[in-house]
Amino acid sequence: MNQVKIIECPRDAMQGWENQIPTEKKITYLNQLLKVGFDTLDFGSFVSPKAIPQLADTAQVYEKLDLDGTPTKLLAIIANLRGAETALSFEKITYLGFPFSISETFQQRNTNSSIAEAYSLVEKVQNLCQKANKQLVIYFSMGFGNPYRDPYDVEIVANWAEKMANLGIKTIALSDTVGVAETKTISELFSELIPKYPSIEFGGHFHATPDGWRTKIEAAYEAGCRRFDGAIGGFGGCPMAEDELVGNIDTTNLFQFFREKGENTGIDKDRLIDCVKTSTDIFI
């Protein structure tokens, strides 16, 4: 059985936060998170500062991150070719994350492009990543359905997964962008995709209300998922959805859940608790 990976996503927690978080506070918090033992830290994004002003300082933050001795790898979100080229210039970034929507409506909202245009971009960025020895992580936004009545079923998702596999994509995170995922869909999707595409690691990026997270995580875990995104405090959500936001899964809930399952996540509990305390000074 593969070790469970927890990906901490302060970027997702911060991006829609109304109050501007000072750069120095971000640096302190992220450096603290790098000591916890997460598999990956989704730390920032290279997108238009007009779209996401909270993360306009990502390059400045990167320069002050201390990666000595940490097993945690850095991931940055990109939304276009220019952002990808910028992210690739930073040596210590391992992963570029791209939001590829299963919903045409949301792809337009999120990246101002069609699904077809987004796929063409994925091809170009994947080629750049391979040349630069980086890895492209694809987030299937609206991966469990959408509120826009756009076409959706397991077969549609599987078809896009096959296209990504043909490009050599190694990681796809199925994203419950607005918290609509039902346990039946979660179970069906992971049960279908994981054995069908063994070259791809499928993860779960879930949004939920504070009391609605467990059934989603349980369904994904029982269906074979071993990669989960979370954010301390359960903050976050996608500001591009323009719907009532539901937050990320609180990382402390993930940690406790997998501890109960007897899983090794590599996380230092005491350092996680320290980060929880620090977060109260970040998200104010």
Side-chain angles (χ1 to χ4, degrees):
M1 181 180 293
N2 294 331
Q3 176 178 313
V4 169
K5 296 178 181 179
I6 294 182
I7 286 72
E8 176 64 18
C9 304
R11 182 273 315 168
D12 202 9
M14 291 178 182
Q15 67 179 8
W17 197 250
E18 184 175 356
N19 298 326
Q20 187 64 34
I21 302 169
T23 299
E24 287 304 319
K25 280 192 174 184
K26 292 177 185 175
I27 293 167
T28 298
Y29 185 50
L30 292 173
N31 276 326
Q32 200 171 4
L33 290 170
L34 284 168
K35 297 178 181 178
V36 174
F38 298 113
D39 179 83
T40 302
L41 189 66
D42 178 356
F43 83 102
S45 66
F46 295 95
V47 301
S48 167
K50 292 182 180 179
I52 309 291
Q54 185 69 259
L55 300 176
D57 58 357
T58 292
Q60 295 171 262
V61 169
Y62 167 89
E63 296 296 343
K64 296 291 183 68
L65 295 183
D66 181 6
L67 295 169
D68 290 343
T70 179
T72 304
K73 297 168 286 292
L74 294 180
L75 181 149
I77 296 295
I78 57 98
N80 55 35
L81 194 59
R82 181 178 179 180
E85 290 169 342
T86 301
L88 288 170
S89 70
F90 292 93
E91 180 185 357
K92 295 178 182 178
I93 292 177
T94 300
Y95 301 114
L96 275 63
F98 179 76
F100 180 89
S101 183
I102 304 300
S103 156
E104 188 73 52
T105 301
F106 188 67
Q107 191 69 59
Q108 290 286 354
R109 283 188 175 193
N110 201 29
T111 64
N112 197 31
S113 67
S114 67
I115 290 179
E117 290 169 332
Y119 181 70
S120 177
L121 176 61
V122 168
E123 289 184 288
K124 295 174 184 175
V125 175
Q126 172 68 349
N127 184 48
L128 291 176
C129 284
Q130 289 176 327
K131 289 179 179 178
N133 198 29
K134 307 283 189 182
Q135 294 186 47
L136 180 58
V137 176
I138 299 296
Y139 290 85
F140 274 179
S141 304
M142 301 293 172
F144 299 95
N146 63 80
Y148 313 120
R149 299 185 179 179
D150 289 342
Y152 176 87
D153 58 32
V154 171
E155 185 177 356
I156 290 173
V157 181
N159 287 341
W160 280 116
E162 183 169 354
K163 289 178 182 292
M164 297 300 173
N166 290 339
L167 293 180
I169 298 297
K170 299 298 184 184
T171 306
I172 296 176
L174 304 176
S175 301
D176 184 18
T177 312
V178 289
V180 301
E182 298 179 353
T183 54
K184 180 181 179 182
T185 304
I186 295 169
S187 297
E188 289 179 352
L189 203 51
F190 282 108
S191 296
E192 169 77 13
L193 297 177
I194 290 173
K196 192 171 185 178
Y197 304 104
S199 65
I200 295 177
E201 178 184 42
F202 289 95
H205 181 105
F206 294 101
H207 291 169
T209 56
D211 60 351
W213 66 272
R214 180 175 285 271
T215 55
K216 296 184 179 187
I217 300 302
E218 185 89 52
Y221 177 77
E222 294 300 330
C225 180
R226 293 295 181 270
R227 177 189 175 97
F228 293 86
D229 290 10
I232 287 173
F235 299 111
C238 183
M240 299 305 178
E242 298 179 13
D243 296 295
E244 185 176 350
L245 295 181
V246 286
N248 286 286
I249 306 298
D250 191 330
T251 308
T252 57
N253 288 337
L254 289 177
F255 174 75
Q256 186 59 37
F257 177 88
F258 293 121
R259 197 176 189 188
E260 293 169 5
K261 296 291 184 182
E263 293 282 1
N264 174 25
T265 60
I267 287 178
D268 185 312
K269 179 183 177 182
D270 292 335
R271 288 183 171 178
L272 176 61
I273 292 172
D274 287 341
C275 289
V276 172
K277 294 175 182 176
T278 301
S279 72
T280 62
D281 187 45
I282 300 291
F283 300 100
I284 56 176

